Amino acid sequence: MSAGEDETCSSSGVAMKASNDAHCPQHVLEFLDQKFAWKVESIVAVPSAQQYVWILQIIQPNTDGQEDNSRANNVESSNGWRDMSHSALEMGTSQVVIRMWRGSARWWNLNSSKDEPVSLLELARAEVAGYRMAHDILTIDSSPMMLHQPQVLYFSHDTNHEVSHPYLAPWAMFSYVGATSQHYTPSKNGTHWRCDNGTFAATMIKTRHEFGFHEPHPRHGRVCTEHSLAYGKKLLRTILFPIHHWFFQLHGLRNKTNNDGGQSEHRNEHVLHDLGMYPTMNHPKDGGARPRRYIDMIHLYEEALQRISQISHGNIIDSKLDKIIQLLGPCLERLRLDAKYHGLEEEDEQKQTIPSVLCHLDLQPQNLIFKRALDPPEDDTIPEVASVLDWEEAAFCDPRFELLL
């Protein structure tokens, strides 16, 4: 669950109830009041596995009140924060989303394989970085595929300001892009869309059988087999192609600049470093890890296959695991042959044939907000993507890592 869900129904179709006393930490509410002169009218608690999530209804400061207005004027006005927050509140119908990372949260993705333990703050920085990159890339007015990406309005542990509560769990404030935002209000912005409101996510099935055995999803379910190809194509067109295009352009610009004898660091490269996998000029290799490459992907799969092969129950291999091993073995061999044919066995990141990109790594329906046309086409089975949420597993790596589930 994530930064775009509304108080009626989450992106996965889970009903929620508004509450005036949902538990949002007092230090967060005091911070919003003291720093931004914001009063909170109501709070909605949103179910989430890895974070605490609340949707706050904000009472904006009275412009006639000198005290509140003075405090509001002092809030990071030099870097345009007030304009950004005003726009976010207007589009979000005076709602914002607060996310606080849990002490029990784990990093399930590629970044968790670093030698040193991953801290809660590292996890939070990486997810915030994913949201920031996605907003910059996918929220482009001139693009016909423009999405409504949540914008990071504030992050408690950003390095460009004093950390208000350094010893407390990191938290962030996002713009609200859910069903009751103005993105779906025709009278406000002439939209021709309505929020899907979890309808498509509710069609997911608990068990698929194409691997030769029951493969249940532990929580939400999976896209049914007959819709998987169309679903994957839609994600490629609306999410992955724009992201890959952005990074491929950046890669070409960097190569051209370096070949001309200059040095260049894109304004978002410091954000990529927060993903834990990118050595920029300000963060050299001895201070950070490199992106995951194609050959690394094969090594990870080989390690996973080895671990699975060692699992047994009283010397009798589980039939499901046995089928997984039978499937993965030939697939890995094909990947090895492909890497050898293309000379990727010892691929140097400085000579990558395909640039590293931002990968979400969990593009399942429950992590997306969908929209449907007010005048729908004849085949409206799979709605259009409106927002990409839950960047908690994001990584900077070879685009072939991305999974379309």
Side-chain angles (χ1 to χ4, degrees):
M1 310 300 175
S2 197
E5 294 150 339
D6 69 86
E7 65 274 18
T8 304
C9 188
S10 72
S11 62
S12 58
V14 179
M16 298 177 289
K17 294 182 179 180
S19 170
N20 290 323
D21 58 356
H23 180 67
C24 182
Q26 188 62 31
H27 72 271
V28 173
L29 301 179
E30 291 176 354
F31 181 84
L32 297 180
D33 178 35
Q34 294 169 6
K35 289 291 185 179
F36 307 146
W38 284 1
K39 301 293 185 181
V40 178
E41 182 177 17
S42 63
I43 302 172
V44 177
V46 181
S48 176
Q50 297 296 317
Q51 293 92 23
Y52 299 107
V53 183
W54 303 274
I55 298 175
L56 275 54
Q57 186 76 40
I58 300 297
I59 302 176
Q60 299 187 53
N62 184 354
T63 55
D64 295 330
Q66 294 183 357
E67 180 181 354
D68 281 350
N69 197 39
S70 174
R71 281 192 289 153
N73 284 334
N74 290 328
V75 181
E76 303 192 40
S77 57
S78 60
N79 59 13
W81 188 91
R82 290 186 66 212
D83 292 338
M84 178 178 67
S85 62
H86 177 78
S87 175
L89 284 177
E90 182 179 11
M91 291 303 297
T93 57
S94 296
Q95 297 172 93
V96 294
V97 178
I98 300 293
R99 299 186 61 162
M100 178 174 288
W101 282 261
R102 296 174 184 258
S104 60
R106 292 188 61 187
W107 218 349
W108 297 102
N109 74 341
L110 304 177
N111 298 302
S112 63
S113 61
K114 293 190 296 184
D115 293 336
E116 67 276 9
V118 175
S119 70
L120 186 66
L121 180 55
E122 285 181 287
L123 188 154
R125 286 192 192 280
E127 184 164 7
V128 167
Y131 269 106
R132 282 174 166 155
M133 292 298 306
H135 180 270
D136 281 4
I137 297 171
L138 298 175
T139 307
I140 302 175
D141 291 338
S142 60
S143 170
M145 299 295 179
M146 184 186 76
L147 306 187
H148 310 311
Q149 283 302 113
Q151 185 173 15
V152 180
L153 303 176
Y154 180 83
F155 177 48
S156 62
H157 287 66
D158 265 335
T159 56
N160 62 350
H161 59 68
E162 182 180 357
V163 177
S164 57
H165 298 85
Y167 302 108
L168 296 178
W171 63 275
M173 177 168 60
F174 296 84
S175 60
Y176 171 76
V177 296
T180 59
S181 69
Q182 290 194 14
H183 295 294
Y184 305 104
T185 307
S187 60
K188 295 292 185 180
N189 62 358
T191 183
H192 301 289
W193 302 93
R194 64 176 176 84
C195 186
D196 177 67
N197 234 355
T199 302
F200 177 67
T203 67
M204 297 172 70
I205 59 175
K206 288 296 182 182
T207 304
R208 292 200 333 201
H209 312 278
E210 69 267 30
F211 298 117
F213 52 84
H214 295 339
E215 180 62 13
H217 187 282
R219 292 179 63 211
H220 301 286
R222 302 184 186 278
V223 178
C224 62
T225 308
E226 54 267 31
H227 295 155
S228 294
L229 180 58
Y231 176 74
K233 287 181 176 179
K234 186 150 291 188
L235 298 192
L236 281 170
R237 186 178 73 253
T238 58
I239 303 173
L240 300 189
F241 286 168
I243 290 178
H244 294 181
H245 175 72
W246 191 94
F247 279 96
F248 289 4
Q249 281 191 320
L250 175 61
H251 181 74
L253 177 62
R254 285 173 56 84
N255 284 345
K256 182 179 185 303
T257 304
N258 292 335
N259 291 337
D260 292 341
Q263 290 186 339
S264 171
E265 178 164 338
H266 190 273
R267 65 185 180 89
N268 275 325
E269 290 191 20
H270 72 282
V271 177
L272 289 175
H273 179 265
D274 283 341
L275 289 169
M277 305 304 297
Y278 194 60
T280 66
M281 295 175 186
N282 290 337
H283 304 87
K285 290 183 180 180
D286 58 358
R290 57 168 170 73
R292 291 285 185 177
R293 306 163 301 173
Y294 184 75
I295 193 64
D296 295 322
M297 178 170 60
I298 297 177
H299 291 160
L300 284 174
Y301 291 153
E302 289 175 335
E303 293 171 4
L305 179 59
Q306 183 178 15
R307 289 195 300 269
I308 293 173
S309 300
Q310 294 173 347
I311 296 176
S312 63
H313 302 282
N315 296 323
I316 300 176
I317 299 294
D318 181 89
S319 60
K320 180 176 178 179
L321 292 179
D322 190 34
K323 289 182 179 179
I324 292 176
I325 293 170
Q326 293 176 17
L327 286 169
L328 287 181
C331 291
L332 269 175
E333 184 59 30
R334 179 61 183 268
L335 290 176
R336 294 188 198 100
L337 291 174
D338 185 60
K340 183 176 181 179
Y341 178 80
H342 292 286
L344 302 178
E345 290 180 296
E346 300 298 332
E347 185 181 11
D348 186 339
E349 61 266 25
Q350 299 299 325
K351 299 178 180 179
Q352 280 184 281
T353 55
I354 299 179
S356 298
V357 303
L358 173 69
C359 287
H360 183 278
L361 298 178
D362 196 15
L363 290 170
Q364 301 189 76
Q366 69 268 15
N367 294 330
L368 307 173
I369 294 179
F370 294 96
K371 60 184 180 181
R372 294 183 186 272
L374 294 177
D375 184 17
E378 184 175 341
D379 184 6
D380 193 34
T381 304
I382 301 177
E384 297 296 329
V385 177
S387 309
V388 185
L389 311 175
D390 284 354
W391 290 85
E392 63 193 21
E393 298 192 20
F396 186 59
C397 56
D398 189 296
R400 289 165 287 195
F401 271 100
E402 189 64 89
L403 301 176
L404 301 181
L405 304 177

